[in-house]
């Protein structure tokens, strides 16, 4: 199965099993907007809980916030979003398709890297044991020529992005002979800037309506509340404020399912530090966030850091954590050192002091900020891509199983009476009623037990608990484990402890306390 086919199957699976539906589907959907179904909302809530607790519960010096989506319009002048939150877009005249110029070039660069890796792999096979990889990379003309070309384009690209040189971006696209994937031609328009913020009106027109914006990031709600939280919470620097909430971006090219949406959710934490200590904290948060991802057990080799080519208008250091999606390594989270850009500008635009008095040094200053910013939906897609598995079984059958970490699974256990008689449904129902206060459990009596197992595998349920003819007399049930498919007899009064042990977040948290 190719990665493309795998991705298509994943999207179909998300719909078939109630994880993700296209928005307003009966009207043929709305581009890049999606709804979460009965299982999707549970998984999403668990991802949010994993993040929230790892920030707010595990760190004494991080507290939460829930700011409004609408903010005073001056916020977006101060933050720089009105002037600079743009993407460079380019159209292909033949296909009439629109692309982000920077993404076209980044994809071209990634292709050159792939070419080099393919050459190295081919050589490794050819030379066998005697292969000296470092020497080959240095001396093979095919590798060195591709690498030199790649590096030259990379340097031009970084310079053009930093200088906002749109003509140069177009020239790079022409020079690299990048074609439109739809029409296959190089008939490109000029590159134009496009602001990503959605706007609407507040108040009636007669009253003199004002344009306001749907927030493109949640961070500004944290900055404008910095002093409220610091003072009322008596917070001492360094400290952090965490928030989960909706953000909106009028993305030019919305592709790859919930990877790039127009309405999405962010989990952001702004960490306020003494100026001069920001690089140390930035490195610390990079490591902590990577550990948070790796703790899920999807394989450390599937994650990597990617430093930014162009630092955003507010940042002095920035890296992304990327995951190997079926469509390549892509950003899941950004860790940015934002300096005092935001607080400093809010101070300027609002006329209010945004300073912190440091009792240890006796000075007042505008704190520096290190932010960690991750999209809930992108994390959801990452988890689904990693967990989705088609597993061949003895006898030629294939089962589809979501190997979700138990703490994230939408349903923790399904309770199944073997048959719909002889008191089995009643016992199964009693077990559900007992477990439901602690876990999300379901009761299922329809179809054969084998079919019921498959349904639960497909949504990632870690345990299936079967009540059979002996249960009434011996007080035992058969527990079937999702990944190993092993079965064991377990006493009913041990079920809670067993599920708790496997599904609690404790196991994950222990791995990330660096
Ligand atoms: P990209 O380069 O992919 O456009 P970005 O660098 O603009 O992303 P940030 O502004 O750093 O993204 O946003 C932080 C996080 O929010 C991203 O790592 C991603 O997980 C998420 N995110 C950003 N834009 C979207 C979107 N349109 N849909 C879903 N998630 C998003």
């Amino acid at each position: 199965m190719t990665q493309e086919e795998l991705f298509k199957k994943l999207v179909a699976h998300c719909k078939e099993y109630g994880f993700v539906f296209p928005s307003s589907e009966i009207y043929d959907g709305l581009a890049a907007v999606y709804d979460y179904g009965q299982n999707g909302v549970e998984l999403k809530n668990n991802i949010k809980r994993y993040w929230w607790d790892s920030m707010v519960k595990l760190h004494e010096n991080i507290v939460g916030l829930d700011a409004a989506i609408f903010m005073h319009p001056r916020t977006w002048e101060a933050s720089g979003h009105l002037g600079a939150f743009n993407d460079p877009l380019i159209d292909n005249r033949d296909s009439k398709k629109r692309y982000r110029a920077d993404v076209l070039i980044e994809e071209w660069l990634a292709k050159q890297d792939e070419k080099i890796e393919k050459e190295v792999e081919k050589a490794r096979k050819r030379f066998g044991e005697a292969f000296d990889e470092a020497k080959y990379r240095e001396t093979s003309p095919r590798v060195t020529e591709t690498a030199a070309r790649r590096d030259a384009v990379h340097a031009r690209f970084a310079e053009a992005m930093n200088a906002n040189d749109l003509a140069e971006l177009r020239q790079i696209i022409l020079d690299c002979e990048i074609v439109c994937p739809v029409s296959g031609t190089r008939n490109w328009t000029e590159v134009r800037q496009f602001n990503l913020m959605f706007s609407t009106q507040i108040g009636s027109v007669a009253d003199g309506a004002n344009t306001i914006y749907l927030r493109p990031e949640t961070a500004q709600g944290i900055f404008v509340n910095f002093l409220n939280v610091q003072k009322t919470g008596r917070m001492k620097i360094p400290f952090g404020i965490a928030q989960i909430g909706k953000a909106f971006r009028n993305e030019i090219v919305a592709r790859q399912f919930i990877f790039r949406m127009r309405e999405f959710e962010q989990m952001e934490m702004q960490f306020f530090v003494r100026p001069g200590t920001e690089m140390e904290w930035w490195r610390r948060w990079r490591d902590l966030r990577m550990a948070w991802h790796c703790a899920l057990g999807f394989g450390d080799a599937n994650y990597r850091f990617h430093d930014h080519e162009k630092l955003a208008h507010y940042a002095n250091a920035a890296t992304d954590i990327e995951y190997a999606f079926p469509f390549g390594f892509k950003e899941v989270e950004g860790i940015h050192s934002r300096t005092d850009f935001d607080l400093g500008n809010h101070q300027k635009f609002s006329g209010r002091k945004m300073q912190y008095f440091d009792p240890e040094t006796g000075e007042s200053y505008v704190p520096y900020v290190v932010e960690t910013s991750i999209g809930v939906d992108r994390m959801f897609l990452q988890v689904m891509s990693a967990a989705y598995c088609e597993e061949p079984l003895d006898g030629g059958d294939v089962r589809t199983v979501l190997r979700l970490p138990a703490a994230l699974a939408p349903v923790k256990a399904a309770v199944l009476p073997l048959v719909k008689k002889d008191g089995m449904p009643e016992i199964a129902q009693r077990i559900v009623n007992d477990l439901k206060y602690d876990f999300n459990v379901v009761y299922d009596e329809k179809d054969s037990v084998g079919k019921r197992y498959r349904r639960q595998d497909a949504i990632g349920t870690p345990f299936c608990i079967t009540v059979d003819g002996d249960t009434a007399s011996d007080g035992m049930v058969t527990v079937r484990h999702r990944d190993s498919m092993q079965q064991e007899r377990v006493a009913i009064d041990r079920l809670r402890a067993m599920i708790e042990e496997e599904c609690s977040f404790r196991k994950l948290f222990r791995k990330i306390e660096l």
Side-chain angles (χ1 to χ4, degrees):
M1 188 167 36
T2 64
Q3 291 294 299
E4 206 169 306
E5 284 163 352
L6 171 74
F7 189 57
K8 271 198 188 139
K9 283 194 162 181
L10 181 67
V11 175
H13 190 87
C14 280
K15 184 164 174 215
E16 189 180 346
Y17 286 92
F19 282 92
V20 182
F21 306 125
S23 154
S24 26
E25 198 185 4
I26 57 168
Y27 296 102
D28 295 332
L30 181 65
V33 185
Y34 291 89
D35 299 337
Y36 288 83
Q38 67 279 16
N39 289 315
V41 65
E42 296 290 344
L43 173 57
K44 201 175 181 216
N45 282 340
N46 291 337
I47 290 172
K48 288 195 263 186
R49 179 158 168 224
Y50 178 41
W51 184 87
W52 184 265
D53 287 1
S54 76
M55 288 292 174
V56 175
K57 266 200 193 164
L58 297 199
H59 296 94
E60 268 176 45
N61 60 350
I62 298 180
V63 292
L65 178 80
D66 185 18
I69 289 171
F70 289 145
M71 299 183 72
H72 194 286
R74 294 272 283 167
T75 308
W76 306 111
E77 281 176 54
S79 70
H81 283 82
L82 259 182
F85 195 52
N86 302 316
D87 275 342
L89 67 87
I90 189 166
D91 294 279
N92 181 270
R93 290 200 185 90
D94 299 320
S95 66
K96 309 269 183 282
K97 292 277 176 208
R98 182 162 286 179
Y99 300 90
R100 265 172 64 177
D102 55 329
V103 171
L104 286 178
I105 298 170
E106 272 172 8
E107 284 174 355
W108 183 90
L109 290 168
K111 262 194 209 137
Q112 309 312 303
D113 289 336
E114 275 168 36
K115 251 193 217 166
I116 294 172
E117 292 316 309
K118 267 195 195 141
E119 284 299 328
V120 173
E121 278 321 301
K122 262 203 293 191
R124 190 191 312 284
K125 283 202 187 114
R126 218 170 40 234
F127 293 112
E129 291 274 295
F131 184 54
D132 179 345
E133 184 178 328
K135 187 154 176 228
Y136 184 78
R137 281 183 191 272
E138 259 171 44
T139 53
S140 154
R142 282 187 200 217
V143 169
T144 52
E145 276 162 28
T146 310
R149 180 138 192 253
R150 182 215 175 275
D151 291 347
V153 170
H154 183 265
R156 277 176 72 189
F157 173 52
E159 201 170 310
M161 288 297 281
N162 281 321
N164 261 329
D165 187 344
L166 303 182
E168 172 68 353
L169 285 180
R170 179 169 190 270
Q171 198 53 49
I172 296 173
I173 289 173
L174 296 180
D175 293 349
C176 293
E177 303 185 338
I178 296 173
V179 298
C180 164
V182 177
S183 67
T185 70
R186 284 183 254 146
N187 194 2
W188 296 110
T189 62
E190 299 302 309
V191 177
R192 281 169 296 146
Q193 292 285 27
F194 179 81
N195 194 286
L196 299 179
M197 281 203 293
F198 283 103
S199 63
T200 185
Q201 307 293 317
I202 197 164
S204 74
V205 177
D207 292 336
N210 271 323
T211 298
I212 56 164
Y213 300 91
L214 298 185
R215 64 181 178 196
E217 63 174 23
T218 56
Q220 298 305 323
I222 296 181
F223 293 129
V224 299
N225 278 296
F226 156 70
L227 277 185
N228 283 338
V229 174
Q230 191 270 321
K231 290 204 166 122
T232 57
R234 306 189 326 144
M235 308 300 292
K236 283 212 180 76
I237 274 180
F239 75 91
I241 304 178
Q243 174 167 228
I244 299 179
K246 289 267 184 168
F248 304 82
R249 295 182 188 179
N250 196 3
E251 298 281 0
I252 305 162
V253 192
R255 263 184 305 170
Q256 286 150 341
F257 193 39
I258 55 172
F259 182 82
R260 192 174 298 289
M261 299 156 90
R262 297 204 163 106
E263 172 179 344
F264 58 102
E265 228 173 332
Q266 284 186 317
M267 306 189 278
E268 296 198 298
M269 194 279 297
Q270 311 293 324
F271 200 71
F272 301 91
V273 304
R274 188 154 47 81
T277 63
E278 71 275 9
M279 293 312 281
E280 199 184 302
W281 280 110
W282 176 69
R283 279 190 288 271
R284 169 121 181 101
W285 277 109
R286 273 172 94 225
D287 295 346
L288 275 170
R289 294 306 303 149
M290 186 56 107
W292 183 89
H293 286 278
C294 291
L296 292 173
F298 293 129
D300 297 1
N302 288 318
Y303 301 88
R304 70 178 188 196
F305 287 115
H306 175 250
D307 293 334
H308 281 207
E309 310 296 353
K310 180 197 176 196
L311 295 177
H313 57 272
Y314 49 74
N316 72 348
T319 195
D320 295 336
I321 292 178
E322 296 188 335
Y323 176 76
F325 283 96
F327 41 86
F329 268 101
K330 294 277 182 262
E331 168 179 348
V332 182
E333 168 157 14
I335 298 112
H336 312 126
S337 170
R338 293 180 78 131
T339 68
D340 59 354
F341 177 87
D342 301 271
L343 290 181
N345 267 6
H346 285 308
Q347 180 166 280
K348 222 184 292 164
F349 278 72
S350 68
R352 305 280 176 90
K353 273 214 156 53
M354 299 297 268
Q355 293 197 339
Y356 169 78
F357 174 74
D358 195 328
E360 274 167 39
T361 61
E363 348 150 53
S364 290
Y365 54 78
V366 177
Y368 270 41
V369 172
V370 173
E371 116 177 314
T372 72
S373 173
I374 173 169
V376 180
D377 313 86
R378 222 174 256 190
M379 184 62 197
F380 185 108
L381 184 60
Q382 190 263 286
V383 168
M384 286 297 273
S385 315
Y388 182 86
C389 175
E390 290 183 10
E391 192 181 88
L393 299 174
D394 298 341
D397 229 8
V398 174
R399 73 162 180 154
T400 301
V401 53
L402 281 189
R403 293 182 180 277
L404 292 171
L408 300 188
V411 175
K412 304 305 184 205
V415 187
L416 324 169
L418 187 61
V419 287
K420 276 189 263 181
K421 55 180 184 183
D422 301 334
M424 291 180 222
E426 290 75 13
I427 300 178
Q429 203 67 69
R430 273 206 299 278
I431 295 176
V432 168
N433 284 341
D434 183 43
L435 294 174
K436 73 181 178 191
Y437 300 108
D438 297 306
F439 313 106
N440 192 18
V441 288
V442 298
Y443 172 86
D444 187 6
E445 60 173 25
K446 219 165 156 264
D447 301 318
S448 71
V449 167
K451 271 198 185 153
R452 284 181 267 172
Y453 283 167
R454 291 285 176 281
R455 273 205 290 273
Q456 296 303 325
D457 286 345
I459 63 166
T461 307
F463 300 107
C464 284
I465 298 167
T466 305
V467 173
D468 58 28
D470 294 332
T471 305
S473 56
D474 67 5
M476 310 275 275
V477 287
T478 301
V479 172
R480 181 255 195 194
H481 297 263
R482 178 194 69 201
D483 295 346
S484 64
M485 294 191 285
Q486 297 278 318
Q487 304 193 2
E488 57 173 332
R489 291 292 279 176
V490 174
I492 292 174
D493 56 15
R494 269 200 51 225
L495 288 173
R496 176 179 296 107
M498 182 191 74
I499 301 172
E500 165 66 25
E501 162 72 19
E502 190 63 26
C503 299
S504 94
F505 282 91
R506 201 173 306 122
K507 269 191 176 169
L508 297 177
F509 291 148
R510 289 247 159 86
K511 291 196 217 165
I512 59 175
E513 288 190 292
L514 294 183

